[in-house]
Amino acid sequence: MRNVCVIAGGQSTWGLRRASQRDLFQEAGKACFDSNDLISNKNIDGLIVASAGTGRCSLQTHLAPLVAEYLGIKPESVCARVELSGASGSAGIIMAYGLIKSGVADVVMVAGGEKLHLPQCREADYSGPGSLDRDWDGAMGLGLPPLFALAAKQHMKKYGTTEEQMALVAVKNRRNGMNNPKGQFREPVDLKTALNAKTVVQPLKLFDCCPVTDGAAAIILAVEDKARYFTDQPLVYIRGCAQASAGNMTANMASWTTWEALKTAARQAYRNARIQPQDVDVAQTHDCFTIAEIIAYEDLGFCEKGEGGCFIQEGKADFGGQVPVNTDGGLLSCGHPPGATGIRQGIEIMRQLRGDAVRQVAGARIGLTHNLSGAISAHTVVVYGRDLE
């Protein structure tokens, strides 16, 4: 079987942008190629584009051939768009990995992005229930903040998790994002400010929630022999990956506090990568809401069930702790254009494992990314490594 490496990556500036979707993809593509001057658009044989809101917010379908045209790429192996709500970007990476691993493609760019503040800024909120079961949950007004508020309340009731512990996630991630030049928020938030912020849906407050974001990102994967030719940087391998889903209607959720699909995806990814949770040196998790990061600590196996609140409180998810999580600021600081988030995470892990991240985890050799989507029902885990063993 062929080995797959990550050899380049870049993103546009994220936030509320006075830029079109076309502009954002071109900005991300340029940043990606600028990150590695040994590869150009002429060397890309495949393109996968990830976008969840392009049809509704940008009124643009058939996106992949357009992005290929924007970036001067002429795909010969694959040219397609993927959509899995907040996990769209990591789903694209998994598909590119499989195509390269199987020999269908050799060098694939995965580009993801969204222009969500169109036709008006509220459109993204109106579209949110579409990632749930719209006929049942969406029709009742169950958007994403109420969904995660329910998870938070249940976790607090069952395990004693506190609002302060959730706020500590926001404080950590905003601090980690201070020096991220492409992130949406670059100002720190202290604990008092986070705890006294406006309530969105009890118990979630403003800084417990990620923002609506315009932005794009692009990453290039290549088979190992071509990766060695196209980069002079240390190779970063994709060691294993997995996706799992457990329905999408909230009435069928087995548990609000244990996400079985995440446990399944993590178990499969660890097995494929031949590692254990304790081997992970740095992780990027899907902190769309602070409670999501806390539950991810548990279901990724970084701590026991119910101990996620203590994990953040004791500094185990911070630099110098057991496993630094969301080292570039995560969704809470960088923002969250669904098609681009998993790609942005992959770029950060690539930089961490090469040793050139903005805030570096010393000696990092194994990194992990996690995305969730829908009604907390589908989960994607990708394991990266500086080595194959």
Side-chain angles (χ1 to χ4, degrees):
M1 271 294 210
R2 306 186 335 156
N3 298 320
V4 181
C5 304
V6 182
I7 60 172
Q11 67 176 85
S12 70
T13 300
W14 288 13
L16 175 54
R17 294 290 307 275
R18 292 184 176 178
S20 68
Q21 182 172 250
R22 181 191 304 257
D23 296 332
L24 297 170
F25 272 105
Q26 289 179 322
E27 191 177 325
K30 183 178 186 303
C32 183
F33 287 121
D34 285 350
S35 75
N36 181 350
D37 58 11
L38 296 181
I39 194 165
S40 74
N41 51 6
K42 295 180 176 61
N43 306 124
I44 307 299
D45 63 70
L47 175 68
I48 294 178
V49 174
S51 184
T54 182
R56 185 171 176 93
C57 293
S58 295
L59 306 178
Q60 180 65 67
T61 58
H62 203 243
L63 186 59
L66 286 169
V67 173
E69 187 174 54
Y70 302 162
L71 303 183
I73 296 171
K74 295 182 178 180
E76 298 177 351
S77 59
V78 62
C79 183
R81 173 189 157 214
V82 299
E83 186 278 315
L84 193 64
S85 189
S88 297
S90 54
I93 289 173
I94 286 179
M95 291 181 183
Y97 167 81
L99 289 166
I100 295 171
K101 192 87 172 168
S102 66
V104 173
D106 288 331
V107 183
V108 178
M109 172 181 278
V110 183
E114 314 284 352
K115 176 62 181 179
L116 296 179
H117 290 90
L118 286 175
Q120 56 177 319
C121 62
R122 293 183 181 273
E123 184 63 33
D125 293 324
Y126 297 150
S127 300
S131 64
L132 311 178
D133 187 320
R134 193 174 185 92
D135 289 346
W136 295 95
D137 295 326
M140 299 300 110
L142 183 61
L144 296 175
L147 181 77
F148 284 87
L150 288 168
K153 286 184 176 181
Q154 287 295 313
H155 206 272
M156 294 168 76
K157 179 180 180 180
K158 191 169 184 178
Y159 301 114
T161 305
T162 66
E163 293 183 20
E164 180 175 326
Q165 290 170 336
M166 289 189 287
L168 284 170
V169 175
V171 172
K172 171 182 70 71
N173 291 356
R174 288 295 288 265
R175 182 174 63 248
N176 288 351
M178 284 175 58
N179 297 316
N180 184 343
K182 300 294 182 72
Q184 186 163 353
F185 297 127
R186 302 170 211 170
E187 305 81 22
V189 171
D190 60 35
L191 183 59
K192 181 178 179 180
T193 300
L195 285 171
N196 292 328
K198 181 179 179 180
T199 296
V200 177
V201 184
Q202 186 64 33
L204 301 177
K205 302 176 180 66
L206 182 64
F207 296 106
D208 290 306
C209 311
C210 74
V212 176
T213 308
D214 299 332
I219 194 167
I220 298 174
L221 278 58
V223 67
E224 185 177 10
D225 60 342
K226 293 206 171 185
R228 293 186 182 279
Y229 181 79
F230 284 127
T231 184
D232 55 6
Q233 296 289 327
L235 292 184
V236 174
Y237 296 91
I238 294 182
R239 290 189 52 165
C241 54
Q243 286 185 315
S245 181
N248 206 49
M249 186 189 298
T250 56
N252 294 327
M253 289 185 68
S255 171
W256 288 92
T257 58
T258 297
W259 298 342
E260 290 296 340
L262 172 52
K263 294 179 71 173
T264 298
R267 183 170 60 250
Q268 295 277 75
Y270 292 147
R271 186 187 67 183
N272 294 339
R274 300 177 299 282
I275 66 166
Q276 299 296 321
Q278 59 267 28
D279 297 321
V280 176
D281 298 311
V282 57
Q284 306 297 308
T285 69
H286 198 94
D287 58 321
C288 49
F289 299 89
T290 51
I291 187 61
E293 182 168 317
I294 286 174
I295 294 177
Y297 301 153
E298 301 167 356
D299 291 345
L300 285 168
F302 299 155
C303 63
E304 295 298 320
K305 176 51 65 179
E307 295 180 0
C310 293
F311 194 82
I312 179 68
Q313 193 165 30
E314 295 169 3
K316 293 181 178 179
D318 209 343
F319 284 86
Q322 177 181 321
V323 51
V325 176
N326 289 323
T327 47
D328 64 351
L331 285 69
L332 291 169
S333 182
C334 297
H336 182 34
T341 286
I343 299 169
R344 187 267 304 162
Q345 292 177 326
I347 295 168
E348 171 66 8
I349 292 297
M350 175 190 72
R351 292 170 176 162
Q352 287 287 348
L353 300 189
R354 292 194 320 202
D356 58 10
V358 173
R359 292 197 68 193
Q360 182 64 46
V361 176
R365 306 291 293 185
I366 296 177
L368 173 149
T369 66
H370 158 248
N371 290 119
L372 61 82
S373 55
I376 324 177
S377 54
H379 293 263
T380 304
V381 176
V382 183
V383 178
Y384 300 79
R386 276 283 286 110
D387 313 288
L388 286 170
E389 299 291 343

